[in-house]
């Protein structure tokens, strides 16, 4: 499956006018880490190593639910997280599917750790931060995201639960630039 992930991603790059200097950077594949990008050699400051059109960057403007996000006035990380969650839920109908398949299903950030894993943080400031973040994410989901999803019947309900939102949060928090 891993080789398929890389080839699907490279095909997705081609289909979305994304190019990169193959002499300067490599798309790598690792059983544990998955796909990654590394420098093939020392790079000079200012050297162009890739071309990625804005239309090929998943954002609140390029998601299939951009109109709904705009109508609702959603913004920032919450809007991008909703976009990622919905695009993943859409699956094969999403232009981002082959891009997403190159990601892990979630990033193992502390908010997604098991209860026993989180317990290892007990007594540290991080433990309280994780607990507060989980409460905040659940509140955002219940008070903003869920009502948003309910107002738009065209958005799939399958794949847009709180767990899906948490997984999308992990992907956005580990990859997004604001």
């Amino acid at each position: 499956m891993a080789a398929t992930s890389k080839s699907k991603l490279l095909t997705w790059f081609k289909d979305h006018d994304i190019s990169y200097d193959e002499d300067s950077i490599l798309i790598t594949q690792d059983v544990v880490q998955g796909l990654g990008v590394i420098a093939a050699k020392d790079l000079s400051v200012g050297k162009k190593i890739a071309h990625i059109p804005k239309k090929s960057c998943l954002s609140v403007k390029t998601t299939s639910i951009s109109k709904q996000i705009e109508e609702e006035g959603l913004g920032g990380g919450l809007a991008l997280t909703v976009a990622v969650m919905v695009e993943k839920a859409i699956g094969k109908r999403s232009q981002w599917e082959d891009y997403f398949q190159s990601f892990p299903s979630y990033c193992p950030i502390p908010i997604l750790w098991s209860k026993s894993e989180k317990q290892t943080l007990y007594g540290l400031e991080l433990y309280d931060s994780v607990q507060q973040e989980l409460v905040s994410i659940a509140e955002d989901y219940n008070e903003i995201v869920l009502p948003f999803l309910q107002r738009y019947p065209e958005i799939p309900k399958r794949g847009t639960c709180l767990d899906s939102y948490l997984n999308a949060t992990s992907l956005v928090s580990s990859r997004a630039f604001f």
Side-chain angles (χ1 to χ4, degrees):
M1 180 177 157
T4 307
S5 295
K6 182 177 177 181
S7 62
K8 279 186 176 182
L9 180 64
L10 294 176
T11 299
W12 189 86
F13 282 0
K14 185 177 179 188
D15 293 345
H16 290 83
D17 301 319
I18 296 171
S19 60
Y20 64 96
D21 180 353
E22 294 180 35
D23 292 330
S24 297
I25 58 176
L26 303 171
I27 308 291
T28 62
Q29 203 153 358
D30 178 279
V31 175
V32 176
Q33 302 279 337
L35 293 174
V37 178
I38 61 169
K41 61 184 181 182
D42 288 341
L43 302 174
S44 304
V45 173
K47 177 173 175 49
K48 180 179 176 180
I49 58 171
H51 171 75
I52 306 170
K54 283 186 179 185
K55 68 179 183 174
S56 299
C57 296
L58 177 55
S59 72
V60 296
K61 293 183 180 194
T62 60
T63 179
S64 63
I65 60 166
S66 62
K67 287 181 184 176
Q68 295 92 330
I69 287 174
E70 186 178 333
E71 286 172 8
E72 296 292 321
L74 300 181
L78 185 138
L80 184 57
T81 301
V82 169
V84 168
M85 176 183 69
V86 170
E87 292 295 340
K88 286 181 71 72
I90 290 171
K92 293 182 191 290
R93 295 177 310 174
S94 173
Q95 71 167 325
W96 308 100
E97 184 192 31
D98 287 342
Y99 174 64
F100 282 136
Q101 60 75 39
S102 71
F103 287 14
S105 58
Y106 73 96
C107 294
I109 60 175
I111 63 167
L112 296 179
W113 289 2
S114 69
K115 192 173 186 174
S116 62
E117 289 172 320
K118 286 180 202 152
Q119 197 59 36
T120 63
L121 301 174
Y122 189 77
L124 301 174
E125 189 176 319
L126 183 57
Y127 178 82
D128 293 332
S129 295
V130 168
Q131 298 305 104
Q132 290 169 357
E133 184 68 12
L134 282 169
V135 168
S136 177
I137 291 169
E139 285 175 356
D140 283 348
Y141 181 81
N142 291 318
E143 296 172 12
I144 300 169
V145 178
L146 190 55
F148 167 79
L149 296 170
Q150 292 168 342
R151 280 191 289 279
Y152 296 95
E154 68 274 18
I155 296 176
K157 303 307 171 233
R158 186 172 189 214
T160 56
C161 63
L162 178 58
D163 283 343
S164 298
Y165 185 71
L166 283 167
N167 285 339
T169 298
S170 76
L171 293 174
V172 169
S173 69
S174 67
R175 288 168 170 76
F177 301 97
F178 297 100

